[in-house]
Amino acid sequence: ADLQTGYLEAAETVDALVIPVGSAWEQTVTQDLDVYLWQPDGIHPSEAGTYLAACAFYARFFQESPEGLYHPEKLSADTAAVLQAIAAEAVLEE
């Protein structure tokens, strides 16, 4: 939360765009889904984490939901749909 606040304050100062990827990650983690956003090293994003971030960027740039878009073969259609919905909610309903 502190990191997000810092980013938002800094962005406001320089009139920059912030994409709430952290909010999307937080929603995914707090929903206790069987989705692993980090690689085993605990630092780098997994395929699902990278895809969630990409969906958040899509939603912000195009101002539309990423739901129904392409997803990598490594992610199941169900997992991709959940991540797309979370990204849409985090970005479009903020």
Side-chain angles (χ1 to χ4, degrees):
D2 290 340
L3 186 58
Q4 182 174 340
T5 300
Y7 279 130
L8 293 172
E9 289 173 356
E12 187 174 316
T13 300
V14 296
D15 195 30
L17 175 69
V18 174
I19 299 172
V21 173
S23 294
W25 276 54
E26 182 179 28
Q27 286 181 35
T28 304
V29 170
T30 58
Q31 289 184 27
D32 197 29
L33 304 171
D34 192 23
V35 176
Y36 300 97
L37 299 178
W38 293 271
Q39 290 187 19
D41 66 8
I43 298 170
H44 296 94
S46 66
E47 182 106 11
T50 300
Y51 185 71
L52 177 59
C55 287
F57 273 80
Y58 178 92
R60 174 63 81 213
F61 290 153
F62 295 104
Q63 287 299 297
E64 65 182 41
S65 175
E67 293 172 285
L69 292 179
Y70 163 85
H71 64 87
E73 291 181 15
K74 289 183 180 180
L75 294 178
S76 72
D78 290 342
T79 297
V82 167
L83 296 176
Q84 291 165 354
I86 289 171
E89 182 179 338
V91 174
L92 301 175
E93 297 180 16
E94 69 170 350

